Amino acid sequence: MRELTGRTKQFIYVYVILMGCFHLYTAIFGSYEAYLQRAIHLSWVLPLGFLLYPATKSAPKDSIPLYDWFLAVLAAVPGLYVMQNYSNIAMRIVQVDPVTTVQIALAFLLTVLLLEGTRRVVGFPLALIAAFFAGYMYFGHLLPGIMKGLSFTIPEVAEQLFLTDEGIYAIPLGVSATFVMVFLIFGGFLEKSGIGAYFMEFAQAFAGTTPGGPAKIAVVSSCLFGSISGSAVANVYGTGTFTIPLMKRLGYAPYFAGAVEAVASSGGQIMPPIMGAGAFIMASLLGIQYGRIVIAAIVPALLYYAAVFLMVHLRALKRGLKGLSPEELPSKRGVVKRLYNLIPIVGLVWMLMTGYSPMLSAVLGIGMAWLVSLPSREHRMGPKAILDAIYAGAKNIPVVGIACASAGIIVGSVALTGFGFKFVGFIFSFAGNIPFLALLLIMLISLVLGMGLPTTGAYILAAALGVPALVKMGFSPLSAHMFVFYFAIVSAITPPVALAAYAASSIAGASPNQTGFQAMRLGILAFIVPFAFCYDPSLLLQGTALQNLAAVAGGTTAALALGFAMEGYLAGLLSLWQRGMFLLAGLACLTPLYTLRGAGIALTIAGMVLFWGKGPKQTPRTPAQAA
């Protein structure tokens, strides 16, 4: 991203604030009709892709070349045309009314500029995939074999991409144009009001003095902040610059310190209430209330963090690592006195769960964040701080908005060409009507997509291709969406391309791949639980009260058993066969068979009783030895 100065910086500042104010206005007083709202949104966002992101690494970073100003103006033209001619576009009959030459030219212009903006802002992989699907609509009938598609004319392709809400202006962009923008601004207010810093202080005060305190600070603070930030890499840099050096100083090996931060930061996107942008997109694609997504996501997310927290605790005990001294940390009394800082988060969750719309909830949350800032002389938000908060949140929209618009190309192509049916047929033929094999294949596809795409784009693409196949296999739509969402998220810690692990390793000074593989071990539950809730939706709290209770009991026990197995410690070192027993018990706890689940719970409890403190303990190690 460019670091601009002078009047250019002032222009971008004003531009971004006006964009944020427009979205706040529509959040308060109501959005325009979906197609028009999305067109206006992209007309704000796409020019920023050319103004803030240079075309090449050698392009100037402190100024905007003339050709980028020209491209930015061109990027707004298609949206301006939609605004000017919205009535005619809304009244036309799709596939009946002719597409004009001007509309074809604008569709081509928007597609090309969007692909270039995607390359700059999001990365080459998503731009390449979107370009393939755009081309497939016109050239697909020339391909051989199973890839052979139907024949469409240029006007039909232009209409699908530009003149309907099934192409570029599809549901993914709609989510960016409404929910995501407002919640990004909410995140900006949390940062400027001091609530983001309070998350870190809260974690420090209550986890810092326990064994392995800095690692627990990383887990708790990233859990609290990650749901709102929506980016694993941004979360790593936001909290990891503090927690990773502390973990290394205490005695954790550099690769382990990096892995803890990567896992904790990635998990923020599966933690309610906000879950990055994924929860809003999932609710829109499923056509259900946002609150149902939050309810479904809460148990797996808590189990994920419980397992990570347990493993860093066991690693600290195994290595003889102590916590930080109270003098180095904020006082618990001082933190408790400022519990009112959590009012915006608690209020947001309450409003979402009681039926308020996400947009109104976010706006009210922004108001509460401003009120919370007033007692603090350091963080009190005056007019300048309010504008800075809007800017801090809204300036992050290009990554999400442009990714969602490009994902719309893919969604529109799949809908028009029937490519999704071909993909479903491929899954069926490969899996041989064995649901578990279908899940494995969709898992691999989601991981591969996530290695080259932002998690939002990876989820949308995996959902468009994989969810129909899983639903046809008999899995519930909610479970299928949550399945691909999980693996799009954990791709950030899955080598060979693990962006969150790479970011953490750069701070820790460790091997990226070693950090990534350790992160996979810590996040093991995220690779198993999605299979479990596909076969037993009670883990998503979709069963009866008794079924949900049994699923929670099994999941909690599984988190314990897998933690003992991965770290090989339970108040003493565990032998290989003992670790294997806990591993099998943990897997059994997540099965849908109640007898097997009961046996897994019983075996875990028996192992904890029998092996408690029986193995040898390791001696404390210095930081140099740990490294």
Side-chain angles (χ1 to χ4, degrees), residues 200-210 213-214 217 242 246 249 323-333 335:
M200 179 66 76
E201 292 179 20
F202 184 91
Q204 292 173 15
F206 287 94
T209 57
T210 61
I217 292 172
F242 172 81
L246 274 182
R249 193 187 84 187
L324 299 172
S325 65
E327 291 75 21
E328 299 179 84
L329 301 169
S331 71
K332 293 181 181 178
R333 178 176 295 180
V335 168

Coordinates of all heavy atoms in Angstrom, one line a residue, residues 200-210 213-214 217 242 246 249 323-333 335:
M200 N -6.0 -6.3 25.2 CA -4.7 -6.7 25.5 C -4.4 -6.6 27.0 O -3.8 -7.5 27.6 CB -3.6 -5.9 24.7 CG -2.2 -6.3 25.0 SD -1.8 -8.0 24.4 CE -1.7 -7.7 22.6
E201 N -4.8 -5.5 27.6 CA -4.6 -5.3 29.0 C -5.3 -6.4 29.8 O -4.8 -6.9 30.9 CB -4.9 -3.9 29.5 CG -4.0 -2.8 28.9 CD -4.5 -1.4 29.3 OE1 -5.2 -1.3 30.3 OE2 -4.1 -0.5 28.7
F202 N -6.6 -6.7 29.4 CA -7.4 -7.7 30.1 C -6.7 -9.0 30.1 O -6.6 -9.7 31.1 CB -8.8 -7.7 29.4 CG -9.7 -8.7 30.0 CD1 -10.6 -8.2 31.0 CD2 -9.8 -10.0 29.7 CE1 -11.5 -9.0 31.6 CE2 -10.7 -10.9 30.3 CZ -11.6 -10.4 31.2
A203 N -6.2 -9.4 28.9 CA -5.5 -10.7 28.7 C -4.2 -10.7 29.6 O -3.9 -11.7 30.2 CB -5.2 -10.9 27.3
Q204 N -3.5 -9.6 29.6 CA -2.3 -9.5 30.4 C -2.6 -9.7 31.9 O -1.9 -10.4 32.6 CB -1.6 -8.2 30.2 CG -1.0 -8.0 28.8 CD -0.5 -6.6 28.6 OE1 -0.3 -5.9 29.5 NE2 -0.2 -6.3 27.3
A205 N -3.6 -9.0 32.4 CA -3.8 -9.0 33.8 C -4.3 -10.4 34.3 O -3.8 -10.8 35.4 CB -4.9 -7.9 34.1
F206 N -5.1 -11.1 33.5 CA -5.7 -12.3 34.0 C -4.9 -13.6 33.6 O -5.2 -14.6 34.1 CB -7.1 -12.4 33.6 CG -8.0 -11.4 34.4 CD1 -8.3 -10.2 33.9 CD2 -8.5 -11.8 35.7 CE1 -9.1 -9.3 34.7 CE2 -9.3 -10.9 36.4 CZ -9.6 -9.6 35.9
A207 N -4.0 -13.4 32.6 CA -3.3 -14.6 32.1 C -1.8 -14.5 32.2 O -1.1 -15.5 32.1 CB -3.7 -14.9 30.7
G208 N -1.3 -13.3 32.4 CA 0.1 -13.1 32.3 C 0.9 -13.7 33.4 O 2.1 -14.1 33.2
T209 N 0.4 -13.9 34.6 CA 1.2 -14.4 35.8 C 1.1 -15.9 35.8 O 1.9 -16.5 36.6 CB 0.7 -13.8 37.1 OG1 -0.7 -14.1 37.3 CG2 0.9 -12.3 37.1
T210 N 0.3 -16.6 35.1 CA 0.2 -18.0 35.1 C 1.3 -18.6 34.3 O 2.0 -17.9 33.5 CB -1.2 -18.5 34.5 OG1 -1.3 -18.0 33.1 CG2 -2.3 -17.9 35.3
G213 N 2.6 -17.4 30.7 CA 1.6 -16.3 30.6 C 1.6 -15.6 29.3 O 0.5 -15.3 28.7
P214 N 2.7 -15.2 28.6 CA 2.7 -14.5 27.4 C 1.9 -15.3 26.3 O 1.2 -14.7 25.4 CB 4.1 -14.3 27.0 CG 4.8 -14.3 28.3 CD 4.1 -15.3 29.2
I217 N -1.6 -14.8 26.9 CA -2.0 -13.5 26.5 C -2.3 -13.4 25.0 O -3.3 -12.8 24.6 CB -0.9 -12.5 26.9 CG1 -0.8 -12.3 28.4 CG2 -1.2 -11.1 26.3 CD1 0.4 -11.5 28.9
F242 N 3.9 -7.7 20.2 CA 4.0 -7.6 21.7 C 4.2 -9.0 22.3 O 5.1 -9.2 23.1 CB 2.8 -7.0 22.3 CG 2.7 -7.0 23.8 CD1 3.5 -6.1 24.6 CD2 2.0 -8.0 24.5 CE1 3.4 -6.2 26.0 CE2 2.0 -8.0 25.9 CZ 2.7 -7.1 26.6
L246 N 7.7 -11.6 24.1 CA 7.6 -12.0 25.5 C 7.6 -13.5 25.6 O 8.2 -14.0 26.5 CB 6.2 -11.5 26.0 CG 6.1 -10.1 26.6 CD1 4.7 -9.8 27.1 CD2 7.2 -9.9 27.7
R249 N 11.2 -14.5 25.3 CA 12.0 -14.1 26.5 C 11.7 -15.1 27.7 O 12.6 -15.4 28.5 CB 11.6 -12.7 27.0 CG 12.5 -12.1 28.0 CD 11.9 -10.8 28.5 NE 11.0 -11.0 29.5 CZ 10.2 -10.0 30.1 NH1 10.3 -8.8 29.6 NH2 9.4 -10.3 31.0
G323 N 5.3 -17.6 34.7 CA 4.6 -16.5 34.1 C 5.4 -15.2 34.4 O 6.5 -15.2 34.9
L324 N 4.9 -14.1 33.9 CA 5.5 -12.8 34.1 C 5.2 -12.3 35.6 O 4.3 -12.8 36.2 CB 4.9 -11.8 33.1 CG 5.1 -12.1 31.7 CD1 4.4 -11.1 30.8 CD2 6.6 -12.1 31.3
S325 N 6.1 -11.4 36.0 CA 5.8 -10.9 37.4 C 4.7 -9.9 37.4 O 4.5 -9.2 36.3 CB 7.1 -10.2 37.9 OG 7.5 -9.1 37.1
P326 N 3.9 -9.8 38.4 CA 2.8 -8.8 38.5 C 3.3 -7.4 38.2 O 2.5 -6.6 37.7 CB 2.3 -9.0 39.9 CG 2.7 -10.3 40.3 CD 4.0 -10.5 39.7
E327 N 4.5 -7.0 38.5 CA 5.0 -5.7 38.3 C 5.0 -5.3 36.8 O 5.0 -4.1 36.4 CB 6.4 -5.5 38.9 CG 6.4 -5.5 40.4 CD 6.2 -6.9 41.0 OE1 6.5 -7.9 40.2 OE2 5.8 -7.0 42.2
E328 N 5.2 -6.3 36.0 CA 5.3 -6.1 34.5 C 3.9 -6.0 33.9 O 3.8 -5.7 32.7 CB 6.0 -7.3 33.9 CG 7.4 -7.4 34.3 CD 8.1 -8.6 33.6 OE1 8.6 -8.5 32.5 OE2 8.1 -9.7 34.2
L329 N 2.8 -6.2 34.6 CA 1.5 -6.3 34.0 C 0.6 -5.3 34.6 O 0.8 -4.8 35.7 CB 1.0 -7.8 34.3 CG 1.8 -8.9 33.7 CD1 1.3 -10.2 34.2 CD2 1.8 -8.9 32.2
P330 N -0.5 -5.0 33.9 CA -1.6 -4.1 34.5 C -2.2 -4.8 35.7 O -2.3 -6.1 35.7 CB -2.6 -4.0 33.3 CG -1.8 -4.4 32.1 CD -0.8 -5.4 32.5
S331 N -2.6 -4.0 36.6 CA -3.2 -4.6 37.8 C -4.6 -5.1 37.5 O -5.4 -4.5 36.7 CB -3.3 -3.6 38.9 OG -4.3 -2.6 38.7
K332 N -5.0 -6.2 38.1 CA -6.3 -6.8 37.9 C -7.4 -5.8 38.4 O -8.5 -5.7 37.7 CB -6.5 -8.1 38.6 CG -5.6 -9.2 38.0 CD -5.8 -10.5 38.8 CE -4.9 -11.6 38.2 NZ -5.1 -12.9 38.9
R333 N -7.1 -5.1 39.5 CA -8.1 -4.2 40.0 C -8.4 -3.1 39.0 O -9.5 -2.7 38.7 CB -7.7 -3.6 41.3 CG -8.6 -2.6 41.9 CD -8.1 -2.2 43.3 NE -8.2 -3.3 44.3 CZ -7.8 -3.2 45.6 NH1 -7.4 -2.0 46.0 NH2 -7.9 -4.2 46.4
V335 N -7.9 -3.1 35.8 CA -8.6 -3.7 34.6 C -10.1 -3.9 34.9 O -11.0 -3.5 34.1 CB -8.0 -5.0 34.1 CG1 -8.8 -5.7 33.1 CG2 -6.6 -4.7 33.6

